[in-house]
Amino acid sequence: MLNYIWILLVVIGILVAAGTDLNDEIKNTYRNGVPLEVAVEITKYPAELRATWEGDIVLSRENFHSFYEVQLSDSSIRQPVSITTASSGESVVTLTPNNSTPKLWRDMANNASAKGKLSGSVQSIRFSEDRTSAIAQIVFEPIRFVKLKAVTQAALDYAQIAVEIALGLIGIMAMWLGVMKVAEEAGLIKILTTLLRPLSKRLFPDVPHDHPAIGSIIMNLSANMLGLSNAATPFGLKAMEELNKLNPKLGTATNVMCTFLVINTSGLVLIPATAIAVRAAAGSANPGIIIGTSIFGAGCATIAGLVAVKLLEKLPRYKKELQPEAPAQDKEARNG
Amino acid sequence: MAEVFRAVINVISIIAIPLILILFLGWGVAKKVRVYEVFVEGAKDGFNTAVRIIPYLVAMLVAIGIFRASGAMDVLATLVAPLTNFIGMPADALPMAFMRPLSGSGSLGIMTELMNVHGPDSFIGVLASTMYGSTETTFYVLALYFGSVNIKNTRHALPAGLIADVTGMLAAVFICRILFGI
């Protein structure tokens, strides 16, 4: 199943990105090549013929809407720009987006040739008599393949993030593995597993009751409940390693591993600290109000996950995968 | 009641790690374990485990990254909206339900956005934060845990994990509608 979902994520992602870009191209969402008429309020006057001068371009919400067919919340747009006139007489307008820039222009700037700067050519410009304002026809540079570029960037970025996450684990992994090793040598893990036998016997019937895996599993689950994810992950990985020692078919997950994983992915936490912190930051009157509802939600998830994992492991197709591989010649004979 | 519970858990979370350290290492000393040497011996595996995880995490996160960046989430949400409207789940909260099992940072972003738009104490604000707390980043945990022991065939772990996720999301909608309902 993971194979299918994995390839679906990639294929759907790329298809949707290509489709969106095609749609943008047909509808010309970014109005490539179409001149936009704006008023320019000049703040720094053109002193010489080839000087760079600055001003604010002003555009009403209605005009923006009729040009791009995008609704704005502000009543009008005022954006500082600089205009440079080259010796050939061509003028180039450069817009550096700020917080008040319409989202469409910010997206365009992010996909522009000079990243973060939206430039365009000035088709015509008419100055007022006192030269404090002007009316200009601007064609912004063409913007294409926004989503496909984003997908490419995301693929590269996430490969990098994955390595950073994994390498970031080295320190805390080493620390907790060291502590666990001491506890193991001291016989503490054995005591822990004996104490929790009634529970582990039911959840993980395939694990011998005095196996060190139980100790790590319990440490992992308790750390998870307390929201100590820095400690929970090393304990969880240690538990997986111990469980893998009982694995008759390396490379394939055993029933116990699946059960353990599902408990972890259901994420039962006594205090959902991250959500509470975000609520508090957003100015909630009662950030902790979600403790009860989250425990209920995650509790239901855990129960459903456990029931599902115990039922699914009985299905023939999953049972079959646990059996040792048939010898190679057998397989060929069957295929032939 | 909830406040007391929260305070107690907070204190436990803070003292848990120092307590474990002193208990485990102290126990070792009491049992005459050569603590420093044994600690170092155990810690050696930390590097190998982390390095083993890399290919699995890269595969998983790249696929999720492509999916996220493409905007496929919004397309999916539009497709499923009629169904979820039926059970009383606001359309705004749908991307949250899809993102939660895929990406921790992604769902955190959606939750923050929803709270900024609708307010943290609005129905959608409470629902989004409950959803965030109701399950874990299934795909990431799967890649991480199974990757650490080179498990490639994950068998029924993913279907069961996804069943848990769906249940968690539905349970969040259910409890929020009952307690803070519209």
Side-chain angles (χ1 to χ4, degrees):
Chain A
M1 179 159 177
L2 182 56
N3 278 317
Y4 299 119
I5 295 208
W6 189 78
I7 194 66
L8 271 179
L9 285 175
V10 176
V11 171
I12 291 180
I14 291 175
L15 286 183
V16 169
T20 312
D21 285 347
L22 190 66
N23 187 37
D24 282 349
E25 196 64 25
I26 292 167
K27 282 181 23 196
N28 203 2
T29 311
Y30 303 106
R31 301 294 181 265
N32 294 334
V34 184
L36 168 68
E37 190 175 275
V38 291
V40 186
E41 287 182 7
I42 301 164
T43 49
K44 240 188 195 172
Y45 302 96
E48 293 165 41
L49 198 63
R50 268 176 287 162
T52 297
W53 49 283
E54 285 168 17
D56 290 345
I57 57 173
V58 181
L59 191 62
S60 72
R61 178 163 87 175
E62 290 72 30
N63 286 345
F64 190 87
H65 175 69
S66 65
F67 189 70
Y68 285 114
E69 287 170 25
V70 173
Q71 284 291 0
L72 289 180
S73 46
D74 304 338
S75 61
S76 73
I77 306 163
R78 171 180 285 272
Q79 289 292 315
V81 291
S82 70
I83 297 176
T84 310
T85 311
S87 54
S88 58
E90 276 175 42
S91 294
V92 175
V93 57
T94 313
L95 189 158
T96 311
N98 54 31
N99 286 336
S100 64
T101 311
K103 189 177 171 303
L104 184 80
W105 280 358
R106 259 184 288 162
D107 290 346
M108 285 166 72
N110 284 334
N111 288 284
S113 49
K115 200 163 169 58
K117 275 196 178 131
L118 183 60
S119 61
S121 64
V122 181
Q123 304 272 308
S124 71
I125 188 156
R126 280 196 322 274
F127 288 97
S128 65
E129 278 181 10
D130 57 356
R131 297 184 75 78
T132 55
S133 67
I135 302 287
Q137 302 267 346
I138 297 173
V139 176
F140 285 120
E141 60 180 307
I143 305 290
R144 293 201 163 85
F145 303 122
V146 172
K147 285 292 179 191
L148 281 176
K149 278 185 198 159
V151 160
T152 311
Q153 194 56 43
L156 301 176
D157 286 350
Y158 273 73
Q160 179 77 21
I161 290 171
V163 174
E164 277 161 19
I165 291 177
L167 292 185
L169 275 174
I170 294 177
I172 48 167
M173 268 312 285
M175 181 189 117
W176 284 113
L177 288 178
V179 172
M180 286 296 275
K181 186 86 178 171
V182 173
E184 214 178 298
E185 296 262 316
L188 193 61
I189 301 293
K190 207 157 229 161
I191 297 174
L192 209 64
T193 48
T194 326
L195 278 178
L196 289 154
R197 224 186 120 197
L199 182 72
S200 60
K201 207 166 57 181
R202 277 196 193 86
L203 277 180
F204 309 105
D206 303 344
V207 181
H209 62 83
D210 57 347
H211 196 274
I214 299 288
S216 300
I217 290 177
I218 298 302
M219 297 296 294
N220 164 264
L221 297 183
S222 338
N224 257 335
M225 293 273 246
L226 291 173
L228 307 169
S229 50
N230 273 344
T233 308
F235 287 137
L237 297 184
K238 171 87 176 152
M240 271 294 167
E241 200 185 309
E242 297 288 349
L243 290 176
N244 205 36
K245 288 179 186 160
L246 298 168
N247 192 350
K249 191 178 172 186
L250 295 177
T252 300
T254 59
N255 289 344
V256 191
M257 286 176 166
C258 293
T259 311
F260 175 57
L261 194 93
V262 166
I263 299 177
N264 260 288
T265 62
S266 316
L268 186 54
V269 182
L270 293 177
I271 299 283
T274 315
I276 293 178
V278 173
R279 291 176 57 74
S284 166
N286 189 356
I289 201 169
I290 57 149
I291 294 176
T293 53
S294 291
I295 294 180
F296 177 83
C300 289
T302 309
I303 294 168
L306 280 176
V307 171
V309 88
K310 292 286 175 196
L311 289 178
L312 285 171
E313 75 184 28
K314 297 201 166 58
L315 286 183
R317 57 172 293 207
Y318 290 126
K319 256 186 175 169
K320 203 173 67 191
E321 287 171 347
L322 262 190
Q323 281 155 14
E325 296 256 342
Q329 63 265 39
D330 251 41
K331 239 185 193 167
E332 269 168 32
R334 251 183 287 147
N335 288 344
Chain B
M1 179 59 199
E3 282 308 302
V4 176
F5 175 73
R6 195 177 151 198
V8 170
I9 299 287
N10 265 341
V11 171
I12 296 178
S13 322
I14 292 166
I15 61 168
I17 289 180
L19 201 69
I20 293 173
L21 284 179
I22 195 75
L23 180 72
F24 280 27
L25 298 179
W27 198 284
V29 173
K31 292 280 173 186
K32 301 212 165 44
V33 174
R34 302 165 73 87
V35 274
Y36 180 76
E37 288 164 35
V38 173
F39 182 98
V40 173
E41 190 62 33
K44 269 199 312 208
D45 291 334
F47 183 78
N48 291 335
T49 312
V51 171
R52 241 191 339 257
I53 296 165
I54 291 177
Y56 297 87
L57 267 193
V58 169
M60 191 62 87
L61 291 194
V62 164
I64 290 169
I66 289 175
F67 189 78
R68 264 185 69 179
S70 70
M73 194 71 70
D74 300 330
V75 178
L76 207 64
T78 323
L79 289 179
V80 192
L83 202 74
T84 46
N85 277 340
F86 183 69
I87 58 160
M89 184 171 181
D92 286 340
L94 251 181
M96 183 70 195
F98 284 115
M99 187 60 92
R100 189 68 192 98
L102 284 174
S103 163
S105 58
S107 49
L108 188 63
I110 294 180
M111 173 171 73
T112 314
E113 172 81 24
L114 285 176
M115 273 185 216
N116 289 338
V117 173
H118 298 275
D121 295 319
S122 66
F123 178 70
I124 290 185
V126 173
L127 178 62
S129 33
T130 302
M131 284 170 127
Y132 187 86
S134 289
T135 186
E136 251 297 329
T137 324
T138 301
F139 285 84
Y140 166 74
V141 173
L142 183 106
L144 185 70
Y145 278 33
F146 280 160
S148 73
V149 287
N150 279 328
I151 297 275
K152 295 180 200 79
N153 184 353
T154 59
R155 289 178 69 228
H156 54 296
L158 185 60
L162 291 179
I163 289 173
D165 292 337
V166 172
T167 313
M169 292 299 129
L170 294 180
V173 174
F174 173 78
I175 191 79
C176 285
R177 273 182 68 95
I178 286 187
L179 295 181
F180 315 100
I182 25 173

